[in-house]
């Protein structure tokens, strides 16, 4: 799976941690002060999208 496949956090993320807290598989982490989603762990449940009030998580294919 190419690195761009799956959900990604885009500009506008406030790093509130709500998406990280709701992720059932621990796929969301911080790196260089930015939220990231590990595509190998992500099970595409979309709970992070529902939780993000800034709409900063999108799907890339």
């Amino acid at each position: 799976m190419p690195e761009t496949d799956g959900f990604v956090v885009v500009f506008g993320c406030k790093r509130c941690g709500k998406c990280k807290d709701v992720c059932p598989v621990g796929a969301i982490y911080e790196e260089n002060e930015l939220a990231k989603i590990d595509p190998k762990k992500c099970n595409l449940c979309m709970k992070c999208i529902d939780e993000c009030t800034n709409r900063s998580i999108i799907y890339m294919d």
Side-chain angles (χ1 to χ4, degrees):
M1 176 155 85
E3 201 171 308
T4 57
D5 282 0
F7 292 102
V8 295
V9 180
V10 295
F11 183 75
C13 174
K14 304 279 189 211
R15 292 182 16 232
C16 66
K18 291 179 182 179
C19 60
K20 184 178 178 182
D21 292 342
V22 77
C23 182
V25 294
I28 302 173
Y29 62 98
E30 266 192 48
E31 181 179 278
N32 298 324
E33 297 186 17
L34 295 172
K36 303 277 186 168
I37 301 175
D38 184 341
K40 292 178 183 170
K41 288 184 180 179
C42 179
N43 65 1
L44 305 176
C45 72
M46 299 184 1
K47 290 181 180 181
C48 58
I49 289 178
D50 292 337
E51 194 66 29
C52 183
T53 56
N54 295 320
R55 301 188 188 269
S56 296
I57 301 171
I58 60 170
Y59 186 78
M60 299 284 292
D61 61 1

